[in-house]
DNA sequence: TTAAATGTATCGGGTGCCCAATAAATATTA
DNA sequence: TAATATTTATTGGGCACCCGATACATTTAA
């Protein structure tokens, strides 16, 4: 594996700010990622890490997946040594509702941010 | 004061979903609201409540304001019995950084939500 | 068959958000 | 002045998120 970036000037330009806490919305983000494509725990953590700048650790992601499974919003299927998670029908509906809510609360904030 | 809605069919159509936890981002949201105009605690809670569907309680909003004050991101000025909060210069910078981060993490999600 | 690597899962400890209940300070009204 | 209303603030308890460390299961390599 090559050493991280140097030639890659893009890298991640943006990390969690120290002005305010930016935790939260993990389960929401998991549902959204899984709506794009089914994934196992690690890939999911990586995808979320791509957006957040830092990937959630095992102690964060797996309890969240367990919770969402118990709520019947996602379901996991063993494939070899990994567990691939998929949105359930209930999960799709939930994500839709949650997305509308998220839009209502935050869209104005997003719109004041001009893309780089 | 007139009784709440009945003729007003709009009201709030959207509340926190039960599919996933939507807590978090409070201090971020406070900074954003204060960037629109200086406010006291109650008005701030009402404004946030307008977006979220439910307003944060005193036990939520005042500790957050205290924290932000200690971090020198906002500053409060007593006006009669209320304390009017304003963004500090540091707070403005912080909000900008935080907004860029928030955009990076969530803009795709926002964009998949078609406005009602 | 061991050994190493990969992926899943749990544990203990910490923080921010969240509430209802309560208290305290200030301003207004009686 | 005394009672009421308004606003601020704290307390105690709960939960989701977050981490590093550790353990376990399974697959692959030696």
């Amino acid at each position: 594996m090559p050493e991280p970036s140097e030639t890659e000037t893009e890298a991640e330009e943006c990390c969690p700010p120290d002005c305010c806490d930016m935790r939260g919305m993990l389960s929401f983000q998991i549902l959204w990622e899984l709506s794009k494509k089914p994934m196992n725990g690690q890939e999911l953590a990586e995808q979320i890490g791509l957006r957040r700048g830092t990937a959630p650790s095992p102690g964060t992601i797996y309890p969240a997946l367990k919770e969402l499974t118990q709520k019947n919003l996602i379901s996991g299927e063993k494939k070899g040594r990994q567990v691939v998670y998929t949105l359930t029908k209930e999960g799709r509906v939930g994500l839709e509702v949650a997305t509308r809510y998220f839009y209502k609360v935050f869209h104005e904030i997003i719109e004041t941010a001009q893309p780089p």
Side-chain angles (χ1 to χ4, degrees), chain A residues 28-56:
Chain A
F28 175 53
Q29 212 173 349
I30 290 175
L31 293 186
W32 191 80
E33 293 289 350
L34 291 183
S35 80
K36 297 300 158 190
K37 80 167 200 260
M39 275 177 277
N40 66 319
Q42 291 220 335
E43 194 180 354
L44 199 42
E46 279 166 26
Q47 281 301 313
I48 293 176
L50 240 52
R51 303 184 188 283
R52 295 195 177 188
T54 59

mmCIF file of all heavy atoms in Angstrom, chain A residues 28-56:
data_model
loop_
_atom_site.group_PDB
_atom_site.id
_atom_site.type_symbol
_atom_site.label_atom_id
_atom_site.label_comp_id
_atom_site.label_asym_id
_atom_site.label_seq_id
_atom_site.Cartn_x
_atom_site.Cartn_y
_atom_site.Cartn_z
ATOM 1 N N PHE A 28 -28.670 8.008 11.045
ATOM 2 C CA PHE A 28 -29.225 8.616 9.842
ATOM 3 C C PHE A 28 -28.267 8.473 8.665
ATOM 4 O O PHE A 28 -28.658 8.055 7.564
ATOM 5 C CB PHE A 28 -29.507 10.096 10.117
ATOM 6 C CG PHE A 28 -29.967 10.887 8.938
ATOM 7 C CD1 PHE A 28 -31.039 10.478 8.165
ATOM 8 C CD2 PHE A 28 -29.324 12.068 8.611
ATOM 9 C CE1 PHE A 28 -31.463 11.230 7.083
ATOM 10 C CE2 PHE A 28 -29.738 12.831 7.532
ATOM 11 C CZ PHE A 28 -30.815 12.407 6.762
ATOM 12 N N GLN A 29 -27.013 8.757 8.926
ATOM 13 C CA GLN A 29 -26.013 8.676 7.873
ATOM 14 C C GLN A 29 -25.804 7.237 7.409
ATOM 15 O O GLN A 29 -25.597 6.989 6.217
ATOM 16 C CB GLN A 29 -24.698 9.266 8.400
ATOM 17 C CG GLN A 29 -23.875 9.944 7.315
ATOM 18 C CD GLN A 29 -22.669 10.676 7.872
ATOM 19 O OE1 GLN A 29 -22.521 10.861 9.072
ATOM 20 N NE2 GLN A 29 -21.787 11.095 6.971
ATOM 21 N N ILE A 30 -25.894 6.310 8.347
ATOM 22 C CA ILE A 30 -25.776 4.900 7.978
ATOM 23 C C ILE A 30 -26.903 4.509 7.024
ATOM 24 O O ILE A 30 -26.671 3.881 5.989
ATOM 25 C CB ILE A 30 -25.803 4.004 9.244
ATOM 26 C CG1 ILE A 30 -24.511 4.183 10.037
ATOM 27 C CG2 ILE A 30 -26.000 2.543 8.853
ATOM 28 C CD1 ILE A 30 -24.487 3.428 11.359
ATOM 29 N N LEU A 31 -28.121 4.883 7.376
ATOM 30 C CA LEU A 31 -29.260 4.562 6.503
ATOM 31 C C LEU A 31 -29.041 5.156 5.110
ATOM 32 O O LEU A 31 -29.289 4.497 4.098
ATOM 33 C CB LEU A 31 -30.562 5.110 7.093
ATOM 34 C CG LEU A 31 -31.065 4.472 8.395
ATOM 35 C CD1 LEU A 31 -32.429 5.033 8.767
ATOM 36 C CD2 LEU A 31 -31.131 2.960 8.280
ATOM 37 N N TRP A 32 -28.562 6.383 5.076
ATOM 38 C CA TRP A 32 -28.363 7.034 3.783
ATOM 39 C C TRP A 32 -27.310 6.321 2.947
ATOM 40 O O TRP A 32 -27.506 6.059 1.760
ATOM 41 C CB TRP A 32 -27.976 8.496 3.988
ATOM 42 C CG TRP A 32 -28.029 9.267 2.718
ATOM 43 C CD1 TRP A 32 -29.138 9.771 2.119
ATOM 44 C CD2 TRP A 32 -26.934 9.587 1.871
ATOM 45 N NE1 TRP A 32 -28.794 10.403 0.948
ATOM 46 C CE2 TRP A 32 -27.436 10.309 0.776
ATOM 47 C CE3 TRP A 32 -25.561 9.357 1.938
ATOM 48 C CZ2 TRP A 32 -26.637 10.791 -0.251
ATOM 49 C CZ3 TRP A 32 -24.755 9.832 0.912
ATOM 50 C CH2 TRP A 32 -25.293 10.544 -0.168
ATOM 51 N N GLU A 33 -26.203 5.947 3.584
ATOM 52 C CA GLU A 33 -25.144 5.239 2.864
ATOM 53 C C GLU A 33 -25.641 3.903 2.336
ATOM 54 O O GLU A 33 -25.350 3.522 1.200
ATOM 55 C CB GLU A 33 -23.929 5.018 3.775
ATOM 56 C CG GLU A 33 -23.185 6.277 4.195
ATOM 57 C CD GLU A 33 -22.400 6.933 3.065
ATOM 58 O OE1 GLU A 33 -22.265 6.328 1.996
ATOM 59 O OE2 GLU A 33 -21.942 8.073 3.264
ATOM 60 N N LEU A 34 -26.403 3.215 3.159
ATOM 61 C CA LEU A 34 -26.906 1.903 2.740
ATOM 62 C C LEU A 34 -27.955 2.018 1.637
ATOM 63 O O LEU A 34 -28.179 1.070 0.890
ATOM 64 C CB LEU A 34 -27.470 1.136 3.944
ATOM 65 C CG LEU A 34 -26.432 0.668 4.970
ATOM 66 C CD1 LEU A 34 -27.105 -0.131 6.064
ATOM 67 C CD2 LEU A 34 -25.341 -0.155 4.287
ATOM 68 N N SER A 35 -28.582 3.167 1.543
ATOM 69 C CA SER A 35 -29.553 3.359 0.457
ATOM 70 C C SER A 35 -28.827 3.492 -0.890
ATOM 71 O O SER A 35 -29.420 3.279 -1.939
ATOM 72 C CB SER A 35 -30.405 4.603 0.717
ATOM 73 O OG SER A 35 -29.715 5.777 0.366
ATOM 74 N N LYS A 36 -27.548 3.855 -0.835
ATOM 75 C CA LYS A 36 -26.754 3.932 -2.066
ATOM 76 C C LYS A 36 -26.325 2.553 -2.523
ATOM 77 O O LYS A 36 -26.388 2.221 -3.681
ATOM 78 C CB LYS A 36 -25.519 4.821 -1.849
ATOM 79 C CG LYS A 36 -25.833 6.261 -1.522
ATOM 80 C CD LYS A 36 -26.618 6.902 -2.657
ATOM 81 C CE LYS A 36 -27.394 8.123 -2.169
ATOM 82 N NZ LYS A 36 -28.346 8.605 -3.186
ATOM 83 N N LYS A 37 -25.834 1.775 -1.551
ATOM 84 C CA LYS A 37 -25.518 0.372 -1.851
ATOM 85 C C LYS A 37 -25.287 -0.420 -0.567
ATOM 86 O O LYS A 37 -24.824 0.145 0.427
ATOM 87 C CB LYS A 37 -24.304 0.275 -2.771
ATOM 88 C CG LYS A 37 -22.934 0.420 -2.116
ATOM 89 C CD LYS A 37 -21.851 -0.012 -3.100
ATOM 90 C CE LYS A 37 -20.532 -0.359 -2.434
ATOM 91 N NZ LYS A 37 -19.526 0.685 -2.483
ATOM 92 N N PRO A 38 -25.624 -1.711 -0.582
ATOM 93 C CA PRO A 38 -25.386 -2.569 0.583
ATOM 94 C C PRO A 38 -23.896 -2.642 0.898
ATOM 95 O O PRO A 38 -23.070 -2.647 -0.008
ATOM 96 C CB PRO A 38 -25.905 -3.936 0.134
ATOM 97 C CG PRO A 38 -26.889 -3.628 -0.943
ATOM 98 C CD PRO A 38 -26.336 -2.425 -1.659
ATOM 99 N N MET A 39 -23.573 -2.654 2.179
ATOM 100 C CA MET A 39 -22.170 -2.657 2.595
ATOM 101 C C MET A 39 -22.001 -3.418 3.892
ATOM 102 O O MET A 39 -22.938 -3.557 4.663
ATOM 103 C CB MET A 39 -21.683 -1.223 2.814
ATOM 104 C CG MET A 39 -21.197 -0.511 1.586
ATOM 105 S SD MET A 39 -20.722 1.186 1.949
ATOM 106 C CE MET A 39 -22.304 1.996 1.882
ATOM 107 N N ASN A 40 -20.755 -3.835 4.140
ATOM 108 C CA ASN A 40 -20.420 -4.403 5.437
ATOM 109 C C ASN A 40 -19.915 -3.286 6.361
ATOM 110 O O ASN A 40 -19.735 -2.146 5.919
ATOM 111 C CB ASN A 40 -19.372 -5.503 5.278
ATOM 112 C CG ASN A 40 -18.051 -4.954 4.801
ATOM 113 O OD1 ASN A 40 -18.020 -4.086 3.947
ATOM 114 N ND2 ASN A 40 -16.961 -5.464 5.355
ATOM 115 N N GLY A 41 -19.694 -3.641 7.596
ATOM 116 C CA GLY A 41 -19.360 -2.653 8.619
ATOM 117 C C GLY A 41 -18.164 -1.773 8.284
ATOM 118 O O GLY A 41 -18.229 -0.549 8.396
ATOM 119 N N GLN A 42 -17.095 -2.397 7.861
ATOM 120 C CA GLN A 42 -15.880 -1.631 7.611
ATOM 121 C C GLN A 42 -16.025 -0.681 6.431
ATOM 122 O O GLN A 42 -15.632 0.484 6.504
ATOM 123 C CB GLN A 42 -14.722 -2.599 7.347
ATOM 124 C CG GLN A 42 -14.338 -3.365 8.587
ATOM 125 C CD GLN A 42 -12.849 -3.512 8.711
ATOM 126 O OE1 GLN A 42 -12.125 -3.474 7.718
ATOM 127 N NE2 GLN A 42 -12.380 -3.675 9.931
ATOM 128 N N GLU A 43 -16.591 -1.191 5.345
ATOM 129 C CA GLU A 43 -16.769 -0.337 4.173
ATOM 130 C C GLU A 43 -17.650 0.857 4.533
ATOM 131 O O GLU A 43 -17.385 1.986 4.130
ATOM 132 C CB GLU A 43 -17.405 -1.143 3.038
ATOM 133 C CG GLU A 43 -17.311 -0.448 1.697
ATOM 134 C CD GLU A 43 -17.949 -1.269 0.595
ATOM 135 O OE1 GLU A 43 -18.357 -2.415 0.879
ATOM 136 O OE2 GLU A 43 -18.061 -0.760 -0.537
ATOM 137 N N LEU A 44 -18.676 0.584 5.305
ATOM 138 C CA LEU A 44 -19.582 1.631 5.782
ATOM 139 C C LEU A 44 -18.812 2.692 6.567
ATOM 140 O O LEU A 44 -18.955 3.894 6.325
ATOM 141 C CB LEU A 44 -20.635 0.971 6.668
ATOM 142 C CG LEU A 44 -21.937 1.693 6.946
ATOM 143 C CD1 LEU A 44 -22.495 2.355 5.716
ATOM 144 C CD2 LEU A 44 -22.936 0.695 7.524
ATOM 145 N N ALA A 45 -17.983 2.240 7.481
ATOM 146 C CA ALA A 45 -17.179 3.168 8.284
ATOM 147 C C ALA A 45 -16.263 4.000 7.386
ATOM 148 O O ALA A 45 -16.097 5.201 7.585
ATOM 149 C CB ALA A 45 -16.374 2.402 9.319
ATOM 150 N N GLU A 46 -15.687 3.340 6.378
ATOM 151 C CA GLU A 46 -14.810 4.058 5.444
ATOM 152 C C GLU A 46 -15.582 5.124 4.672
ATOM 153 O O GLU A 46 -15.117 6.251 4.517
ATOM 154 C CB GLU A 46 -14.187 3.074 4.448
ATOM 155 C CG GLU A 46 -12.979 2.328 4.987
ATOM 156 C CD GLU A 46 -12.626 1.140 4.105
ATOM 157 O OE1 GLU A 46 -12.947 1.182 2.891
ATOM 158 O OE2 GLU A 46 -12.049 0.161 4.621
ATOM 159 N N GLN A 47 -16.741 4.754 4.160
ATOM 160 C CA GLN A 47 -17.557 5.700 3.405
ATOM 161 C C GLN A 47 -17.903 6.922 4.247
ATOM 162 O O GLN A 47 -17.787 8.059 3.799
ATOM 163 C CB GLN A 47 -18.852 5.026 2.929
ATOM 164 C CG GLN A 47 -18.670 4.151 1.714
ATOM 165 C CD GLN A 47 -18.115 4.903 0.522
ATOM 166 O OE1 GLN A 47 -18.590 5.979 0.191
ATOM 167 N NE2 GLN A 47 -17.093 4.356 -0.120
ATOM 168 N N ILE A 48 -18.337 6.660 5.468
ATOM 169 C CA ILE A 48 -18.682 7.763 6.360
ATOM 170 C C ILE A 48 -17.441 8.587 6.676
ATOM 171 O O ILE A 48 -17.491 9.813 6.741
ATOM 172 C CB ILE A 48 -19.344 7.211 7.643
ATOM 173 C CG1 ILE A 48 -20.706 6.597 7.299
ATOM 174 C CG2 ILE A 48 -19.497 8.307 8.683
ATOM 175 C CD1 ILE A 48 -21.417 5.943 8.450
ATOM 176 N N GLY A 49 -16.307 7.900 6.813
ATOM 177 C CA GLY A 49 -15.050 8.593 7.059
ATOM 178 C C GLY A 49 -14.666 9.505 5.911
ATOM 179 O O GLY A 49 -14.068 10.561 6.107
ATOM 180 N N LEU A 50 -15.025 9.102 4.701
ATOM 181 C CA LEU A 50 -14.752 9.921 3.521
ATOM 182 C C LEU A 50 -15.418 11.284 3.638
ATOM 183 O O LEU A 50 -14.863 12.301 3.228
ATOM 184 C CB LEU A 50 -15.299 9.204 2.285
ATOM 185 C CG LEU A 50 -14.296 8.848 1.192
ATOM 186 C CD1 LEU A 50 -13.120 8.083 1.752
ATOM 187 C CD2 LEU A 50 -14.978 8.077 0.079
ATOM 188 N N ARG A 51 -16.614 11.286 4.197
ATOM 189 C CA ARG A 51 -17.339 12.548 4.329
ATOM 190 C C ARG A 51 -16.914 13.316 5.568
ATOM 191 O O ARG A 51 -16.703 14.517 5.536
ATOM 192 C CB ARG A 51 -18.844 12.284 4.394
ATOM 193 C CG ARG A 51 -19.335 11.518 3.204
ATOM 194 C CD ARG A 51 -20.831 11.331 3.179
ATOM 195 N NE ARG A 51 -21.158 10.412 2.097
ATOM 196 C CZ ARG A 51 -21.169 10.758 0.819
ATOM 197 N NH1 ARG A 51 -20.921 11.993 0.477
ATOM 198 N NH2 ARG A 51 -21.439 9.871 -0.122
ATOM 199 N N ARG A 52 -16.763 12.608 6.661
ATOM 200 C CA ARG A 52 -16.507 13.272 7.944
ATOM 201 C C ARG A 52 -15.060 13.674 8.144
ATOM 202 O O ARG A 52 -14.745 14.464 9.012
ATOM 203 C CB ARG A 52 -16.893 12.343 9.092
ATOM 204 C CG ARG A 52 -18.367 12.033 9.156
ATOM 205 C CD ARG A 52 -18.682 11.436 10.502
ATOM 206 N NE ARG A 52 -20.116 11.170 10.643
ATOM 207 C CZ ARG A 52 -20.685 10.792 11.774
ATOM 208 N NH1 ARG A 52 -19.950 10.629 12.851
ATOM 209 N NH2 ARG A 52 -21.979 10.581 11.822
ATOM 210 N N GLY A 53 -14.169 13.043 7.376
ATOM 211 C CA GLY A 53 -12.755 13.292 7.602
ATOM 212 C C GLY A 53 -12.142 12.219 8.468
ATOM 213 O O GLY A 53 -11.024 11.804 8.249
ATOM 214 N N THR A 54 -12.885 11.736 9.446
ATOM 215 C CA THR A 54 -12.415 10.612 10.258
ATOM 216 C C THR A 54 -13.508 9.557 10.321
ATOM 217 O O THR A 54 -14.678 9.880 10.494
ATOM 218 C CB THR A 54 -12.086 11.046 11.693
ATOM 219 O OG1 THR A 54 -13.257 11.594 12.285
ATOM 220 C CG2 THR A 54 -10.996 12.092 11.726
ATOM 221 N N ALA A 55 -13.097 8.310 10.184
ATOM 222 C CA ALA A 55 -14.055 7.209 10.185
ATOM 223 C C ALA A 55 -14.424 6.815 11.608
ATOM 224 O O ALA A 55 -13.571 6.839 12.490
ATOM 225 C CB ALA A 55 -13.464 6.014 9.456
ATOM 226 N N PRO A 56 -15.685 6.485 11.830
ATOM 227 C CA PRO A 56 -16.087 5.993 13.153
ATOM 228 C C PRO A 56 -15.373 4.684 13.480
ATOM 229 O O PRO A 56 -15.161 3.862 12.605
ATOM 230 C CB PRO A 56 -17.592 5.781 13.010
ATOM 231 C CG PRO A 56 -17.874 5.767 11.548
ATOM 232 C CD PRO A 56 -16.813 6.586 10.907
#
